[in-house]
């Protein structure tokens, strides 16, 4: 079996002016508390050591977080959802930072 499946997933977002920009998918996850799936993205082409602005959206209903197909990403509108997404992101970042310290 081929290990090329580890390639970075990418999606395009179109802004309010109609400009299309390519983003790398950081990760996706489901929240049982909110009954939604979420996707975290950052602009494509950034080096690992560059500071990036991570964007978060709710996936369209029925979209598989393991293989998001796109469509209209939904804005996260409540403070409770933002807090949950930030908590998941911080947990991921803390885990990644801990791996680096062990080397």
């Amino acid at each position: 079996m081929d290990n090329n499946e580890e390639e970075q997933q990418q999606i395009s977002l179109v802004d309010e002016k109609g400009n299309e920009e390519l983003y790398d998918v950081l990760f996706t996850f489901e929240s049982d508390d909110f009954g939604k799936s979420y996707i975290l993205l950052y602009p494509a082409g950034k080096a690992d050591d560059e500071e990036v602005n991570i964007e978060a959206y709710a996936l369209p209903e029925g979209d598989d977080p393991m293989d998001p197909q796109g469509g209209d990403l939904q804005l996260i509108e409540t403070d409770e959802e933002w807090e949950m997404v930030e908590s998941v992101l911080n947990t991921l970042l803390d885990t990644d930072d801990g791996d680096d310290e062990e080397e």
Side-chain angles (χ1 to χ4, degrees), residues 41-54:
L41 313 165
Y42 61 94
K46 298 291 183 181
D48 287 340
D49 59 349
E50 279 186 78
E51 188 171 313
V52 295
N53 184 29
I54 296 172

Side-chain angles (χ1 to χ4, degrees), residues 43-94:
K46 298 291 183 181
D48 287 340
D49 59 349
E50 279 186 78
E51 188 171 313
V52 295
N53 184 29
I54 296 172
E55 297 188 28
Y57 298 93
L59 290 170
E61 189 173 331
D63 205 353
D64 180 3
M66 299 307 291
D67 186 26
Q69 297 302 308
D72 291 332
L73 298 178
Q74 302 165 2
L75 296 176
I76 299 171
E77 297 178 352
T78 67
D79 289 340
E80 292 82 9
E81 277 184 284
W82 273 117
E83 289 172 11
M84 179 272 304
V85 169
E86 288 174 352
S87 175
V88 170
L89 177 60
N90 288 336
T91 299
L92 174 78
L93 295 176
D94 287 346

Side-chain angles (χ1 to χ4, degrees), residues 2-3 10 14-15 20 22-24 28 31-33 37 39 53 57 70 74 80 89-90 92 96 100 103:
D2 198 358
N3 282 346
Q10 295 182 320
V14 179
D15 67 16
E20 189 172 323
L22 190 62
Y23 283 79
D24 288 330
T28 59
S31 169
D32 291 334
D33 292 339
S37 297
I39 187 168
N53 184 29
Y57 298 93
Q74 302 165 2
E80 292 82 9
L89 177 60
N90 288 336
L92 174 78
D96 284 350
D100 292 342
E103 292 179 13

